[in-house]
Amino acid sequence: MEQRNWKIIKFVVIVSIIFFILFWVRTTLKNEFSRSMRENLISFANSISLADIETLKEKFPNLEYCIFDFEGNVTQTIDKLSDIVKKLPDYAYGEEHAMYEEVYISNKVLNVNGKIYYVVFAPVIEDYEVKAVMVQLHDATDTIKLLQTIDIMFLILFAIFVLGFAIATFSIDPVTTYAIIVTFAVVLTFVVYPLYEAVRLTFMRTGTFTLNVWKAILTEKSYIKALSNSILLGALSATASTIVGFLFAFMVTRTAIKGKKFISAMATLPVISPPFSLTLSIILLFGSNGLITKQLLKLNWDIYGLDGLVIAQTMGMFPIAYLTMVGVLESIDSTLEEASMNLGASRWKVFTTVTLPLSLPGILSSWLLVFTNSIADFANPLMLGGKFNVLSVTAYLEVTGMNRLDRGAALSLLLLLPTLTAFYLQRYIVNRKSFVTVTGKPSGRIVEIVSPAVKKLLTLLVYSIIAFLIGLYSTIFMGCFVRNWGIDYTFTTANIKEALQRGKDALADTTFLAGVAMPIAGIFSMVVAFLFARKKFPGKKLLQGLVLLPFSIPGTLIGISYVIAFNKPPLLLVGTAAIIVINYVIRELPVGVEGGIATLKQIDPSIEEAAQNLGANPQTVFSTIILPLIRPAFISSLSYTFVRAMTAVSAVVFLISAKWYHITMQIYNFSENLRFGLASVLSSVLIIIILTVFGLLRLLVRKSEYLEKTIVQ
């Protein structure tokens, strides 16, 4: 009890000291700013009081003023301010100062037509004699807002100190408490607040509540058409990608096909390549001046539109389905298939009644993930869309082309409708049935259910897709050495020099920003994953939902909401490197957190408990026990953040500035200007950088040999 009383006394004393220190700093800042402001007003008043009265309004259109003689009569006035000015309690005092050739600033501010003004009394001198007094009204809105911001910052800093010091003094586990509070603060500031501002803008564009924006969005045919196009594109791309992804995953996990590592590597290659790379190669091969369509086959086929987008998105997004399906197919207990075959079922019967139904959760999850990524895709429709308008590009054009942030935000919010519908439909279908197959010790072998003939056909199909994929990437590298693709195929190295010279700043900016975001996202995601997997605290489910929310939000919505929320005090971040780094971290946080949670669930908590029983504090346990054990998830989070930051488009397109540019937008600009050689060079450089990072990842993290299975034919 005595120790607790001592803690309370110490807490009160230190908090009081900090309060007076912060209050002194706050008062000093306000006084210094007020002094500087008064000096500027006096200097300004002296300079214009000597000017020609007739030309004042022309020189200073924002200045409101009125002139009185010393009898109190108005000799000249603007906007009929004389009656308001005369009601000031220190009007006579200001007039007296002006008689003695002194400038006086009233202690009161005036509110005129909703605007706040400082009142300045200045002498009007003619022939070295004071003839009248000019009362000037200077706009004080911004100044008062700044002074209020200083007060708010003082309160926030004091509240943060009180909260932090209270936790350090009275909490049993202060480090965990700090982590929870910081996580809540980050999520509320950079996830909830921007979304709230985006939603609010769609209803409060003019400062008053209105449904005009949503009426326009939901009634104009062009917007409805863009929404239907997005859903159609998403459904077609998700279906095609899921089929291709399932084919690759099935061949790798359920057959004895040769070259599994090569097939797996090719199936994941599009995930780590720039979003414009495959689109660029498709244009080079099948575009208006494409090598195949124009030069070889002499076709007039137009790749721009729905068909081209489906091809580009399928080749770029089937790895998402593949990565999802691999884990599902590996976890299916093969004894069920073996038992079915032993009971006389045909291979096709086993596949359709056992393997395929048990794969349904993975198939639906794959379809949903690809569908979500497809309708939110920005890069492919921007280059290949042609007359096929989709919602993400329409939202971008509304913001950048027409400066209608409210409509852009509303269109981006509209993208959530099909995503959430697909999500809940998938959950409903999966939850209706049981797919549990691992109830005890799983089988260490897999019975191959495909016949030799079917296996050859599927192998041919897989390697045909791989050959097409290799052809697309080869085209990018070949484009680096062609003088003018589609017209002049002369070999040249001039593109490399010009592209690197013109794109070096964008490449340096992108690499630097991705490098800064990488450790922040990696460490923060592992801390959050540890909180979710190991700690119990109020609001845990709410926080977990908010942390995972950015994964389901289209990139265009995040970019637009950041522009709306962080383009004004106190968080004026638009145009800075900070907002781009924050966007990277928040966008990729869900993936790192999910990977960390999955890894932590495989680690026995008794290891951490033993370390704590031996006297290790929570931070020591995390840094010396947890972090080394979750090294694969940690390094994966680092590399994933780096790669996604290097290839970002949809959100970052709204956040780049003249000072901080992005290499993907440089590639797009070159492509739009038909400088395909320069675009190919930058795409190739980006691919090399990303493959280098993933190569290092493969060296640091290897798959456990105990997870591998043998195939029994």
Side-chain angles (χ1 to χ4, degrees), residues 233 237 279 303-315 374 377 379-386 388 390:
L233 174 62
S237 297
T279 311
I303 192 66
Y304 298 94
L306 178 61
D307 46 1
L309 284 173
V310 172
I311 294 172
Q313 289 192 345
T314 300
M315 298 307 298
S374 175
D377 184 24
N380 290 311
L382 193 63
M383 290 185 66
L384 267 179
F388 189 81
V390 295

Side-chain angles (χ1 to χ4, degrees), residues 116-130:
I116 302 174
Y117 294 94
Y118 287 120
V119 182
V120 179
F121 294 82
V124 177
I125 301 175
E126 186 177 345
D127 297 331
Y128 304 101
E129 183 179 353
V130 178

Side-chain angles (χ1 to χ4, degrees), residues 7 138 150 253 288 307 415 464 468 547 562 582 656:
K7 284 184 177 181
H138 298 266
I150 294 175
T253 60
S288 302
D307 46 1
L415 277 174
S464 297
F468 180 61
V547 167
Y562 272 35
I582 291 169
I656 56 175

Side-chain angles (χ1 to χ4, degrees), residues 259-277:
K260 286 188 177 183
K261 291 185 177 179
F262 171 73
I263 294 173
S264 182
M266 294 306 300
T268 55
L269 182 60
V271 173
I272 61 175
S273 63
F276 288 132
S277 58

Side-chain angles (χ1 to χ4, degrees), residues 189-190 193 562 565-574 579:
T189 304
F190 298 112
Y193 171 64
Y562 272 35
F566 303 122
N567 199 25
K568 54 189 176 182
L571 293 176
L572 187 57
L573 300 177
V574 172
I579 194 170

Side-chain angles (χ1 to χ4, degrees), residues 336-508:
L336 297 174
E337 298 165 322
E338 187 176 3
S340 298
M341 295 185 68
N342 291 338
L343 291 172
S346 65
R347 296 176 186 271
W348 176 250
K349 189 74 171 177
V350 172
F351 175 76
T352 55
T353 60
V354 179
T355 308
L356 194 60
L358 291 176
S359 304
L360 186 60
I363 293 173
L364 292 176
S365 296
S366 301
W367 194 94
L368 173 65
L369 287 172
V370 178
F371 178 78
T372 304
N373 279 271
S374 175
I375 65 172
D377 184 24
F378 175 78
N380 290 311
L382 193 63
M383 290 185 66
L384 267 179
K387 296 180 180 179
F388 189 81
N389 296 323
V390 295
L391 215 53
S392 58
V393 176
T394 304
Y396 167 74
L397 295 177
E398 285 289 338
V399 174
T400 59
M402 303 182 184
N403 196 28
R404 295 195 291 210
L405 268 174
D406 50 349
R407 292 200 180 189
L411 290 170
S412 298
L413 288 167
L414 200 60
L415 277 174
L416 289 175
L417 182 62
T419 303
L420 294 177
T421 302
F423 173 75
Y424 285 111
L425 183 61
Q426 180 255 355
R427 292 290 292 271
Y428 172 74
I429 295 174
V430 171
N431 290 338
R432 288 183 63 192
K433 296 181 180 181
S434 174
F435 301 90
V436 176
T437 63
V438 182
T439 57
K441 183 179 179 181
S443 173
R445 64 179 189 173
I446 294 176
V447 177
E448 194 171 69
I449 63 173
V450 293
S451 64
V454 173
K455 181 180 175 182
K456 288 181 181 179
L457 177 63
L458 296 180
T459 302
L460 177 63
L461 190 57
V462 165
Y463 277 101
S464 297
I465 296 173
I466 290 176
F468 180 61
L469 197 60
I470 292 175
L472 292 179
Y473 281 104
S474 300
T475 303
I476 299 173
F477 289 100
M478 287 189 297
C480 301
F481 303 99
V482 173
R483 185 177 299 278
N484 192 355
W485 193 278
I487 300 174
D488 184 0
Y489 287 92
T490 306
F491 178 85
T492 180
T493 58
N495 291 331
I496 299 176
K497 181 179 179 181
E498 183 179 355
L500 293 178
Q501 186 174 5
R502 295 178 60 180
K504 63 180 180 180
D505 292 337
L507 189 61

